[in-house]
Structure formats: C-alpha cells, structure tokens
Amino acid sequence: MASSFSTVPKILHGQGAFDQLGGVVSELGDRALIVSGQGSMRRQGFLDRAEALLEKAGVASEVFEGVPPEPELASVDAVRSIAAECRAEVIIGIGGGSALDVAKAAAGLLKQPLPIADYFYGAPFSDQSAAFVAVPSTFGTGSEVTRNAVLSDPEKPLKQSIRSESFLAHAAIVDPELGRGAPAEVKAASTLDALTQAIEAFFSIRATPVTESLSFGAVALLAAHIENFVFHSDDLDAAENCATGSLMAGLAFGNAGLGIVHGVVHPLGIRYHQPHGLLCGVLLPHALRFNRDHVPGQYALLCGIVKQDIAEFCTTLLQNVGLPGDLSGLGAKAEDLPILAKESVNTASTKTNPRPVRETDIIEILERVFGLKQ
Ligand SMILES: [Fe+2]
C-alpha cells in the first residue's frame, strides 16, 4: 500500500548544532524574531548566544519572551503583531514545546488577516507562511518536526491542535546542550512524553515501515537513557540520546499519528493543569495493557527492547524519575469522567489507536488512574 512521509527539510542535531543557527537563519531572511518562554533560556545564556550568532551572520533580531507553559491563543496573536511590526522574515522558537508551538503558529499565520481564534475554530487559511526555525530546549514534544501547534482557548475551555502542512519548520536545530540544565521534573515529564509518543506511533493504525523503525529506535534510545538524563546534567551522552530519541519520536508520530493516551491527555490537561508529559507517563502503562492483545507482535518487540514487560518497565520508570504512579491526588470525581470520555473519544489521536476505543473504555482507565477503582 502506498504511503507518504514528509518532514522538515533541514535537521541539524547533536552537540554543536546550535552554533549553526546564524548560517541557517541567514539563508531564510535578514530579519528575525526570536520567541522564547519564561526565562530559562535567557538565564542559561542561550538567547544572548542566539542574538550574537544572528548578528555575526548579518541577521537583525528582536526577542519576544514570556510564552507560558500552557500557551493561549492570545500569545500567538501577540507574536504575530510584534513580528509584523519588526517586519520579521523568520520566526525562531527557542525553548520548550509551548514556545515552539506559539512561534510555529505565529509563523504559519503571519500573512493571514484574521485573529488566530478564527483559524483555531476552522476558518480556512492559505499555506503562505513566514519561515520558521525550531530550536527545542526540552526533549519531549517533537514540535520541531511536527505540523501542529497545541494551544488553549481559556474561554471555552478547550485545548487542541491547530495543524497545517505549512506549519512544518524550515529548519530544526536539536542540540543536547540546551536541555541539560532543565530541572529534573521538567526533564522527567518531557522525556516521558517522548517515550509515549514513540510507543503510540509504533502501535498506530497509520504506522508504516518507515515510521515503525523511527519509533522502535526512539524507544530504544529513550528507555536506555532517560534516567541518567533526568538526574545527571553532566551526562552529555544521555542528553544527546534523549534529544535524538525525542526527535525520532516526533518524526514518527508526525507522520503516523498517536493513540489513546494523547486522545485523553488534552481534556485532562486543561481541567487539572498538570504537565502534559506527566499525564502521558501516568496513562502510558494503562494504555499499553489496553492495547496489548490487539498488537501482540509489536508489544513483544517493545518487551524485547527493555527485556521485561514494557508496561511494567514504564511503571518502574515513572517511579524512578520521581513522577506519580496515579492521579489520585487531583481529587477527580466519578461524575467528571463521562464528559472527559466524550471529549476524548473522537479526537484524531484516539482514532489511530490500534484497539477501537469506546467511551466506557476511557471511563474504566480513568477510574483506575484517578484511584476511583482498583
Ligand atoms: Fe505528547
């Protein structure tokens, strides 16, 4: 059966990749806007380094800082208006998944006339985008190589992806150095997101031999290196392997899609305000057991990587990196579950899960996750 695979045209990765920022951006334009989060890239000196690299390459730059961890539509419109003011030809996202997603959506919609809310709710837009360069500092979302941006509308409230082929970055720069200094809990949550994405893409009904090989390789790298990456910031080898594993997971799920965990975590995230990766990590063992008998061959392959049951491995990994084993502390009630199930069951991610998912299946998993049932 014919299948396709598309991704970012230029991916620079590994130690020293960040030093090539100036050269990469100067090929795309003379004026750039850097978009970043709430200070960690500035504190660690990466924004100053980026500005110096751009200046040396003859690119004028401005900086927008302050993208929050759960970015709202307003952040994208703020970046669009600053980018228009400074006539930026290139938007560069430097930071975690939220900074990258805001930069990505702002670049994708820079030349469109309406506020982002119109496009978020389905108004069509052309594929005329500004150039976008993605430089991740957390190794989890894979946003540097995907065509979607996850955003929230606090009015509804609704958290969902806005997606377009034109949102793919023009270049991705994945340097392990940028992620080493993050706090352990940030590293743990983001790499558990990457591991979940690798596994869900591996099981997806849209997986192809190309995406399967990327998923399989990503699981192998992440499973072997997450613990050292989380606790040993001087272990550059672990950082590089997690950065590469996250990149490979992004390449895989960007083409193959995801599964039930990602179908459920967005409605959960907007209600309970927990980090995306933490929610993914807690749900992952439950999803693995739910799918096990529908994909026995793939399940066995994953067990072969970790030399034990993969669901048990993930449960132990959660404990070892200091994430909770369940969400009983959030105080969810049984009456909250039907609406969560309704919001989760028809998402694009749930639809590519290998075992068909009913609302009752989601309720059963959530009862266990929330400690409402053993
Ligand atoms: Fe994710």
Side-chain angles (χ1 to χ4, degrees), residues 140-141 193-194 197 253 258 262 265-266 276 280:
T141 65
D193 183 19
Q197 287 164 178
F253 90 81
L258 292 160
H262 278 80
V265 289
H266 289 168
H276 171 82
C280 286

Side-chain angles (χ1 to χ4, degrees), residues 284-308:
L284 181 58
H286 298 271
L288 280 162
R289 290 190 196 99
F290 177 74
N291 285 320
R292 181 175 47 204
D293 296 340
H294 280 250
V295 280
Q298 285 108 314
Y299 194 93
L301 284 169
L302 296 187
C303 296
I305 293 174
V306 296
K307 312 250 181 323
Q308 69 178 109

